[in-house]
Amino acid sequence: MRSDLRRNWVKILSIAVGLVLTGFIIALLLLVVTHPSPSAVIESLMTKEIQFAIYLSLVTSIISTLLCILIAVPAAYALARYDFWGKSFVSTILDLPLALPPLVAGVGLLLFFGTTPIGDFLESIGIVFVFTPLGIIIAQFFVNMPFMLRIMRSTFTDISPRYEYVACTLGCTNLQAIWRVTLPMAVNGFLAGAVITWAKGIGEFGAALMIAGATRMKTETLPISLFLNMSCGELEMAISAAIILMVISVVSLYVFEYFGGSAKF
């Protein structure tokens, strides 16, 4: 009898904690959404500044997501399929941007592209990352690449390599087996990883601020716009940017759960 009562108390307490936390998150979101009037939000969304921020956020996040896919997919396949010397070390380093504070990552990128011979060479051929939109792209890529990497590694791990062996016995090369068999089977994880990486990219602030700066109508993404307008007391403009970011977060989380519920970070 006492054991049943203890289980009930544990059940009630754990559910209550979850409900309280859920209510707290909903309250925060509702406060942001309901603070300005709908007309003020619409008026802010029609301004050139917010439209520029939306455009720059979309362009930079899409490019950085494509770069993440290009680099993370083969790296994730190697980590999921092959054993090699230093694999644990490589895996840890590739995941390190997840643990680094974005500001620290931004300082590292600023120093790399602003003070090293590699940065000087790139600048000499017209590829400038410091205080330009290219800096936003590289910041988004550096900070968010581990999300795509971990999701795709989990996805590839869950796919048995026997399918590839069978494809090879039927005449496929290793690359053809991966392209025709493994990647189609990994499509849900691929979509989930791409969506969550894009959503994280469009919301990147700290690293982008360090390397690209916060210049209106030049390096002003939605998070930068939120920061600048809050600093200047333009509350409606700031909240408009926040609402857009919230909508993107909710939609991307739904897509991630729908396509990649079994994917693991």
Side-chain angles (χ1 to χ4, degrees):
M1 186 69 177
R2 289 183 179 179
S3 178
D4 292 338
L5 288 175
R6 288 175 182 174
R7 288 198 189 97
N8 287 336
W9 274 111
V10 170
K11 178 180 178 180
I12 293 171
L13 181 61
S14 59
I15 292 175
V17 170
L19 291 176
V20 169
L21 182 59
T22 301
F24 178 65
I25 294 172
I26 291 174
L28 293 182
L29 298 179
L30 288 176
L31 283 172
V32 174
V33 173
T34 60
H35 188 277
S37 64
S39 59
V41 173
I42 294 173
E43 184 178 348
S44 298
L45 293 176
M46 293 297 104
T47 61
K48 290 184 178 180
E49 181 181 345
I50 292 296
Q51 291 178 359
F52 176 86
I54 294 172
Y55 168 78
L56 186 61
S57 295
L58 289 174
V59 171
T60 55
S61 61
I62 290 172
I63 295 174
S64 66
T65 300
L66 292 175
L67 289 175
C68 288
I69 292 171
L70 184 65
I71 301 299
V73 171
Y77 183 85
L79 291 172
R81 286 287 189 266
Y82 306 125
D83 290 322
F84 53 88
W85 185 85
K87 178 179 176 179
S88 297
F89 175 76
V90 170
S91 180
T92 301
I93 295 301
L94 290 176
D95 286 338
L96 189 58
L98 284 176
L100 278 178
L103 290 173
V104 175
V107 170
L109 291 170
L110 179 62
L111 293 174
F112 182 85
F113 290 105
T115 63
T116 64
I118 296 176
D120 293 339
F121 170 75
L122 291 174
E123 186 174 356
S124 69
I125 61 175
I127 304 176
V128 182
F129 289 92
V130 179
F131 302 134
T132 70
L134 285 178
I136 299 172
I137 294 172
I138 201 65
Q140 292 173 347
F141 166 77
F142 181 82
V143 173
N144 299 312
M145 184 274 295
F147 288 97
M148 190 73 190
L149 178 70
R150 291 179 69 88
I151 292 170
M152 289 308 300
R153 181 181 181 180
S154 173
T155 301
F156 287 136
T157 301
D158 290 340
I159 298 173
S160 174
R162 293 181 179 179
Y163 294 108
E164 295 173 27
Y165 299 152
V166 172
C168 289
T169 62
L170 296 176
C172 287
T173 64
N174 289 334
L175 186 59
Q176 288 173 333
I178 295 171
W179 182 259
R180 296 180 180 179
V181 178
T182 306
L183 288 181
M185 295 179 69
V187 66
N188 280 0
F190 180 85
L191 291 174
V195 168
I196 204 69
T197 302
W198 171 76
K200 293 293 293 182
I202 210 170
E204 174 53 38
F205 173 71
L209 178 66
M210 286 293 100
I211 187 172
T215 306
R216 290 190 187 273
M217 304 296 287
K218 182 180 179 182
T219 59
E220 186 179 7
T221 58
L222 284 169
I224 296 294
S225 179
L226 193 160
F227 168 74
L228 289 174
N229 285 297
M230 283 295 290
S231 300
C232 298
E234 297 289 343
L235 194 57
E236 286 77 13
M237 296 276 285
I239 292 180
S240 297
I243 290 173
I244 297 171
L245 291 170
M246 283 173 49
V247 171
I248 291 171
S249 299
V250 171
V251 172
S252 62
L253 183 60
Y254 171 79
V255 174
F256 174 76
E257 290 294 333
Y258 182 81
F259 286 106
S262 62
K264 300 174 184 176
F265 286 109

